Structures are given as structure tokens and as C-alpha cells.
Amino acid sequence: KTGGGDVDHRAVAAVIEPLISGAIASLKRGQIRYTLLLNEDDGIIDWRPCLQDEAPGAMNVRVTGAHTTVGSNPEAHAAVAHALARRA
């Protein structure tokens, strides 16, 4: 979390844009849809700075389980499925 909504939008765009072929930074706030999976107990990453302000298209989802097994975590799968369904 970097500050206000516009600042958070720019921060998210800066991370995502190099990974895809698209001009994410030029999108208006709310046009980027993302879901952050957070685990308060994983002990790898401090989850508190990762929280983003809830906004249209942005959602923080808390999951349980080990950091290294998030790819096989049913809670994480459900969160990803829900996020993808929001795009439809």
C-alpha cells in the first residue's frame, strides 16, 4: 500500500505492465481488476504493506496455509475463480 487510490493504481500498474503487453498505467482507476491473496500467518512476507484500498476491481482476499503451497490451496483456487468470474 503506497497511499491514496491513484498512487496505489500507479504502483500496481508499475508491477503489472512489464509482465504483459499492454499500457496498464494509462487505464483509469477501476479499470485494472486484481485480487491480492494475503496470508497473515505464512511468515515469509509481511502482509500488511501488501493491503490495497478496496476499489472497483480491486479485492484483498485472506487465505490460510503455507506460502509455498498457495498454488495447491483450495481457498486460493476459489479466490482466483471468483476473481476470474468477476471479469465475465
Side-chain angles (χ1 to χ4, degrees), residues 21-54:
S21 58
I24 301 299
S26 65
L27 295 173
K28 291 183 171 62
R29 184 173 183 218
Q31 289 183 299
I32 298 176
R33 294 181 182 258
Y34 56 91
T35 300
L36 296 151
L37 301 179
L38 305 164
N39 182 339
E40 298 175 11
D41 300 317
D42 79 355
I44 304 291
I45 298 172
D46 183 3
W47 60 274
R48 290 173 291 246
C50 299
L51 282 174
Q52 298 292 315
D53 291 333
E54 296 277 336

Side-chain angles (χ1 to χ4, degrees), residues 2-11 29 34 52-53 55:
T2 57
D6 291 332
V7 175
D8 286 340
H9 172 82
R10 286 192 303 272
R29 184 173 183 218
Y34 56 91
Q52 298 292 315
D53 291 333

